[in-house]
Amino acid sequence: MLLFDRDNWPRHRPWLAFVAMATLGATLWYAVASLMASRLLGGGSLPGFTFGVIGGVICLFEFLIWPRKKFRAWRIGRVQTWMKLHIWLGLLSLPILVLHSGFRLGGSISAALMILFLVVIASGVWGLALQNILPRKMLVEVPAETIHSQIDRILGHHHDEAARLVQETCGKAVAGSSARTPSASSPEAPDDDEDEDAEETRHFVVGAVRSAGKISGKVLQSRSAGPSVEGSEALRVFYDLTAGPFLTPDGLKGSPLRQAERARVIFEDLRTKLDVRAHPAADALENLCDQRRQLAEQQKLHFWLHSWLVVHLPLSVALIVLMFVHIYVALKYL
Amino acid sequence: MAARPGGGKERASRIPLNYYKKRDAIARWKLGLSLLAALFTLGWWATGFSLGGPGLVSQNAMGRLRASHGPLTRAHATWDARCDACHASFQPIGDDSWTRKIGLTSASADTRCQSCHAVLDHHAETGKPGDTALKSCGGCHRDHQGRDASLVRLPASDCTSCHKDLKGHTQTGAASFASAITSFAGDHPEFALIKQKQGDLGTLKFNHALHMSKGLIEGETQKPVFTLAQLGEEDQKRYAREGQGASDGVQLECASCHRPDNGKLPPASSPLGVEAMASLLSSGTGGYMKPISYRTDCAACHKLEVIMARGEAETKVTVPHRLQPSALHETLTNLSIGLSLGKDVKTLEKFTPSSRPRPGRRDEAEQSAREEVQARVTKAERILLGEGKGTCTECHQYRPSEGTITSKIDFTRRLDEYAVEPTFVETVWYKHALFDHFAHRGVSCQGCHESAYPNAPKPSRSNDDVLIPGKSSCVQCHAPEGRDGQGNPTGGAGQDCTECHTYHADEQSPGVHRVEPLDRLKFAEFLKGTGDGKGP
């Protein structure tokens, strides 16, 4: 579910109105008080101090979303509600704390605090934009999406499945061929006994993307291998030289299969070299290569989807620490 | 048991169930950087207290500098990193309303300020006790605004917080000044000097319009023009304007007599003109004009000269200024005797009795000489104390021993019954406000003192006229920025109360008392700030 979409926007509308009204009210109060004082009031004035307290409480609340997400089992409101509050109160804190500052950076601590605050807000808004755009993109472009941390493991599976598929289609590998040799990176690499079992059962699993109407996703498919096909050596060669390396975690770079259109042409060409009985194997291999590209895309999108947090979170921590320093110093030298 | 290839078990085991327990790279970076950020932030603050040293800043000073929200003004720069010199921990330095409401006062900080600044309280006795509008030192004098910031140029609101409703802030509910002022251009009353129309209390007879006219004559008249040739050589140089010759009439300017109190006279050869140069003089203050002095400002034209005749010979004698009539009589007598003695030895003999004097009898020659001397003195007195040009009476008035001040001396009475009335020429007209001529040097004198000029709609010809401008003149500039009917810019200059007024009133103002200074500190204590509650 996206943070903002057409369906949930009505639920955000009251918050937008609240933030707008609160900003307007705070600005009016500040403007009137400043006009009466004929100067821009700072954090020590009544409105400035009030904004400081409100802004500080908001910052603390904003920070609490980290432990809230960390400890999901805690029953203190839905994470979705927390996130909504995190977004809108975070946005509200910007005008509130700018008014608290009196439009001045002040000394080192307050200047550092304000700069940190602005970067945190900016990174948060950047993150919010990414979180609203990229999941939609991911849904459309990566139907084979899997758990990000498990991509390498899945790639190992794919590699093994492809090797088994090629072996089942082309028959026993001749010396020097890598087909039917499970990937070293695969944590689930079947041992020799399992190979024998597999040979005996002639069943294996292939991850494939299937679509049903508007929904598309990855499904695991058990396939039963048929008899080996004469004259399918081209498939083995293709696997050994091109598809096999491409299916490894580091195989993306320099591979001709990296580009979808080029891959389609290559597979079309492969099929012309194969007996028609070997075409299902070529199709399955093409499907695995397609998933490989999707997982690469997922890795890229995942990086953008989460890397902003590498800035947002540490700076938020620094902001909270410095905020307490600022509170102590401001009250000491009131 | 191993999963059978192709079976449901294999499908289920493709992703381990506990995969989420292991952090991915981004999560590890997030955690690591967060810890680092917390440590770095605390470290940055903490290192401030251990950095620095002699020659740079004292120990702990950097930490305090980080707390400072701006450099102190130049006068306080010594304590830039010594917060305790002015601040009392956890007590406000300025009394804002919210701090008072929670029982915090700035008393400790005020004590620190007053250890150096023993200023007068502002109507502390007439103000309502506990009035939150009466501020602490720091309530108005806000430091940390930079080295060149002024602590005394304050926004009007600092004053109008009380003066918009002055009666509401006094113990008696009465106000000796205007009780509702919110802005200068708005409801600030007309200056008392103008409003009360008391006129000039000075007694010096002076016609500004005449003195500002070329040749010192006004309009079409048969009177002779007063030319530069009638001045002394030095004075000719001083009063000649560019291109003027000796036969040209004298044309005075404001700066011919009104000189700024920086003590410099503008060079006469200035191409900008005397008036302009006078205004451009750099000075200590130059805010006010020096008092008018006969010797420097009048004597060039108004020479106190009189002709004394002896026989057919005439001698022009000059009498000094600042003589009372009786002293003038004595001076003239001496001059007359001197005239007689200096010219004729026989006269001297008349004053030297050749034989023993006999009571009741006077030598005839002596009598004649005395009469001659007296006649000259009387004639000179009638001229100098009489009416007309070049006389004392031209400018001064007299106070008889009995009766009221007069412009004429009754010569049937004894001269020692009269005294020249002091001129009482005001040097500072605004008694409750400050004015700085130097700050206004860019504006022509005529802009504010128009009546001094002969071409004014109402030129001033009497000393009763007060040529000090009223509020309407000031608000041409000291008002909110705008445009007049012709589209010309108006206003825009400063309008804060402190442009003209000072807060810590003089001792004569009602309800003020001097704050006694605290014990003075030793030099070293002063520099480092004691931090013991006494202030710097």
Side-chain angles (χ1 to χ4, degrees):
Chain A
M1 184 180 173
L2 292 174
L3 294 173
F4 292 102
D5 61 22
R6 200 170 294 173
D7 295 334
N8 66 19
W9 177 243
R11 286 196 291 276
H12 283 286
R13 208 176 290 145
W15 282 103
L16 175 65
F18 167 72
V19 169
M21 292 302 290
T23 303
L24 189 68
T27 308
L28 274 176
W29 184 23
Y30 181 83
V32 169
S34 290
L35 275 175
M36 287 171 68
S38 300
R39 63 192 164 89
L40 289 173
L41 294 173
S45 63
L46 181 60
F49 179 74
T50 310
F51 295 148
V53 171
I54 294 171
V57 170
I58 289 178
C59 284
L60 268 182
F61 172 79
E62 295 286 287
F63 186 72
L64 287 178
I65 198 165
W66 190 27
R68 176 68 191 88
K69 284 173 86 173
K70 212 78 197 134
F71 305 101
R72 286 168 189 271
W74 290 359
R75 297 285 176 192
I76 40 174
R78 296 169 64 199
V79 173
Q80 229 176 52
T81 310
W82 275 73
M83 181 52 78
K84 209 183 296 173
L85 286 170
H86 184 84
I87 291 168
W88 288 110
L89 291 181
L91 289 173
L92 175 63
S93 69
L94 180 65
I96 292 286
L97 288 175
V98 167
L99 292 176
H100 167 70
S101 76
F103 302 95
R104 286 182 291 267
L105 283 178
S108 308
I109 292 175
S110 50
L113 193 58
M114 180 51 79
I115 291 166
L116 269 177
F117 173 70
L118 293 177
V119 175
V120 167
I121 290 288
S123 62
V125 171
W126 171 243
L128 178 62
L130 291 177
Q131 295 274 2
N132 214 46
I133 295 167
L134 296 184
R136 209 186 306 257
K137 190 175 165 68
M138 185 96 83
L139 206 63
V140 174
E141 296 180 9
V142 191
E145 179 191 358
T146 187
I147 295 161
H148 175 260
S149 63
Q150 302 302 308
I151 284 179
D152 284 356
R153 177 188 292 271
I154 297 297
L155 285 177
H157 285 306
H158 286 181
H159 188 265
D160 290 347
E161 286 160 11
R164 202 177 296 169
L165 184 71
V166 169
Q167 189 188 23
E168 292 299 336
T169 307
C170 305
K172 283 241 177 191
V174 294
S177 171
S178 66
R180 190 63 191 99
T181 307
S183 154
S185 63
S186 169
E188 297 294 310
D191 54 22
D192 290 344
D193 293 341
E194 285 176 347
D195 287 350
E196 285 166 14
D197 288 341
E199 206 171 333
E200 186 185 327
T201 57
R202 303 180 72 79
H203 280 87
F204 54 94
V205 175
V206 174
V209 177
R210 291 285 180 271
S211 295
K214 287 184 178 178
I215 301 167
S216 64
K218 189 176 155 191
V219 292
L220 295 175
Q221 196 176 32
S222 294
R223 295 174 66 94
S224 16
S228 57
V229 180
E230 290 294 325
S232 58
E233 196 57 27
L235 181 66
R236 190 196 303 278
V237 172
F238 173 73
Y239 175 79
D240 286 347
L241 298 179
T242 308
F246 180 64
L247 290 173
T248 61
D250 302 323
L252 211 61
K253 199 174 176 184
S255 173
L257 300 177
R258 192 178 176 186
Q259 294 170 331
E261 189 54 30
R262 198 171 167 195
R264 192 185 63 76
V265 173
I266 289 171
F267 273 101
E268 283 297 322
D269 183 56
L270 176 65
R271 283 189 197 92
T272 61
K273 295 173 187 170
L274 297 175
D275 186 283
V276 72
R277 287 171 296 155
H279 281 192
D283 292 345
L285 195 58
E286 185 179 11
N287 191 295
L288 287 172
C289 289
D290 182 47
Q291 287 185 56
R292 175 68 189 94
R293 280 193 300 276
Q294 287 185 39
L295 292 180
E297 182 67 13
Q298 185 191 345
Q299 278 179 314
K300 196 170 78 183
L301 291 177
H302 184 274
F303 173 80
W304 285 109
L305 200 55
H306 296 279
S307 60
W308 63 276
L309 275 168
V310 174
V311 175
H312 187 71
L313 186 63
L315 292 189
S316 299
V317 172
L319 177 73
I320 294 296
V321 171
L322 205 56
M323 186 181 82
F324 280 107
V325 171
H326 171 68
I327 290 169
Y328 168 75
V329 166
L331 290 179
K332 185 173 183 194
Y333 303 119
L334 202 57
Chain B
M1 183 182 159
R4 187 170 62 88
K9 218 169 191 179
E10 184 185 334
R11 282 198 283 268
S13 66
R14 285 168 76 88
I15 293 175
L17 294 175
N18 63 348
Y19 75 90
Y20 61 89
K21 289 185 177 172
K22 197 177 172 188
R23 287 192 180 90
D24 64 5
I26 288 180
R28 284 196 297 275
W29 272 102
K30 277 193 303 192
L31 185 64
L33 286 175
S34 297
L35 289 171
L36 208 64
L39 289 173
F40 177 80
T41 307
L42 280 174
W44 174 74
W45 183 50
T47 50
F49 293 100
S50 57
L51 290 177
L56 180 62
V57 280
S58 66
Q59 199 175 13
N60 297 344
M62 189 71 83
R64 294 196 205 105
L65 272 177
R66 285 184 181 158
S68 168
H69 58 86
L72 295 173
T73 191
R74 204 166 297 283
H76 295 158
T78 307
W79 306 295
D80 232 352
R82 299 183 179 108
C83 314
D84 295 343
C86 303
H87 288 272
S89 291
F90 301 106
Q91 290 180 50
I93 197 165
D95 279 356
D96 273 322
S97 53
W98 75 271
T99 50
R100 275 198 189 177
K101 277 178 186 166
I102 59 171
L104 295 173
T105 71
S106 61
S108 302
D110 287 350
T111 306
R112 286 162 158 83
C113 299
Q114 288 163 356
S115 66
C116 290
H117 302 280
V119 294
L120 294 166
D121 270 355
H122 182 75
H123 308 303
E125 290 167 11
T126 51
K128 266 185 185 171
D131 190 345
T132 52
L134 280 176
K135 293 175 178 173
S136 61
C137 305
C140 291
H141 304 292
R142 301 171 191 91
D143 213 326
H144 293 286
Q145 308 291 319
R147 284 282 185 269
D148 296 322
S150 169
L151 298 190
V152 293
R153 296 184 73 85
L154 307 172
S157 58
D158 283 336
C159 306
T160 55
S161 58
C162 281
H163 283 269
K164 67 183 175 190
D165 176 26
L166 194 56
K167 288 178 182 170
H169 292 277
T170 59
Q171 289 178 21
T172 59
S176 47
F177 297 97
S179 60
I181 303 176
T182 54
S183 71
F184 175 64
D187 44 16
H188 187 288
E190 178 58 279
F191 307 147
L193 174 71
I194 309 296
K195 198 163 84 175
Q196 291 165 6
K197 295 182 179 169
Q198 62 180 25
D200 187 352
L201 297 177
T203 62
L204 188 77
K205 290 177 248 175
F206 191 78
N207 182 340
H208 266 102
L210 176 73
H211 281 80
M212 293 294 284
S213 301
K214 189 171 184 182
L216 302 182
I217 53 167
E218 261 200 289
E220 296 298 322
T221 174
Q222 297 301 312
K223 287 181 183 175
V225 169
F226 190 84
T227 64
L228 289 165
Q230 291 171 263
L231 300 174
E233 194 178 333
E234 285 299 312
D235 290 329
Q236 279 188 32
K237 287 182 191 170
R238 176 180 165 187
Y239 290 107
R241 301 181 78 172
E242 195 175 3
Q244 279 194 320
S247 60
D248 290 320
V250 171
Q251 173 64 72
L252 295 178
E253 297 168 309
C254 300
S256 302
C257 302
H258 298 286
R259 291 162 300 123
D261 60 2
N262 55 16
K264 292 178 186 173
L265 274 174
S269 58
S270 161
L272 292 170
V274 172
E275 187 178 355
M277 279 307 296
S279 65
L280 290 172
L281 285 173
S282 60
S283 66
T285 59
Y288 288 98
M289 294 294 167
K290 281 183 174 177
I292 297 296
S293 149
Y294 168 81
R295 188 176 61 80
T296 55
D297 304 316
C298 311
C301 303
H302 296 274
K303 295 184 178 75
L304 293 174
E305 291 175 334
V306 67
I307 292 171
M308 286 185 164
R310 183 172 180 269
E312 293 193 353
E314 289 186 339
T315 305
K316 191 186 279 184
V317 296
T318 303
V319 295
H321 187 245
R322 300 183 71 81
L323 294 179
Q324 289 297 340
S326 56
L328 177 69
H329 175 81
E330 199 174 320
T331 302
L332 288 171
T333 302
N334 290 337
L335 284 167
S336 182
I337 292 170
L339 191 67
S340 295
L341 296 181
K343 299 291 180 186
D344 187 351
V345 179
K346 285 183 181 175
T347 309
L348 181 62
E349 289 172 355
K350 289 174 187 170
F351 286 92
T352 311
S354 55
S355 57
R356 184 173 61 86
R358 282 173 290 180
R361 296 190 62 182
R362 183 173 282 181
D363 184 89
E364 284 183 8
E366 181 192 341
Q367 184 65 24
S368 163
R370 284 187 185 279
E371 284 171 0
E372 182 191 323
V373 165
Q374 186 55 46
R376 277 201 298 267
V377 169
T378 303
K379 190 178 176 186
E381 280 176 349
R382 295 288 167 105
I383 292 169
L384 288 170
L385 297 174
E387 294 175 65
K389 289 194 71 67
T391 66
C392 304
T393 315
E394 188 180 4
C395 305
H396 290 285
Q397 300 183 58
Y398 307 98
R399 183 175 291 280
S401 54
E402 288 176 7
T404 55
I405 189 169
T406 175
S407 287
K408 282 175 72 173
I409 283 185
D410 180 0
F411 287 103
T412 61
R413 296 172 67 173
R414 289 166 55 89
L415 281 183
D416 58 8
E417 288 181 22
Y418 288 94
V420 176
E421 180 73 357
T423 55
F424 297 120
V425 175
E426 280 288 8
T427 50
V428 176
W429 284 91
Y430 297 133
K431 302 301 182 191
H432 288 289
L434 300 171
F435 184 80
D436 187 349
H437 277 98
F438 189 71
H440 293 81
R441 62 192 179 279
V443 182
S444 79
C445 305
Q446 194 167 6
C448 296
H449 305 285
E450 189 183 26
S451 302
Y453 291 77
N455 58 354
K458 288 183 182 175
S460 165
R461 297 192 173 88
S462 164
N463 61 295
D464 289 336
D465 299 332
V466 175
L467 307 190
I468 301 300
K471 181 186 157 187
S472 60
S473 181
C474 304
V475 293
Q476 291 181 61
C477 298
H478 296 278
E481 201 171 350
R483 299 260 171 197
D484 64 10
Q486 283 77 48
N488 299 314
T490 58
Q495 307 152 61
D496 293 327
C497 308
T498 52
E499 293 283 331
C500 305
H501 296 285
T502 55
Y503 175 82
H504 298 288
D506 56 64
E507 288 179 76
Q508 280 73 45
S509 297
V512 302
H513 71 269
R514 178 171 287 282
V515 177
E516 288 303 320
L518 302 177
D519 292 340
R520 299 300 186 196
L521 302 175
K522 290 176 184 172
F523 189 62
E525 289 174 330
F526 178 82
L527 280 178
K528 69 183 179 186
T530 58
D532 60 356
K534 277 183 172 181

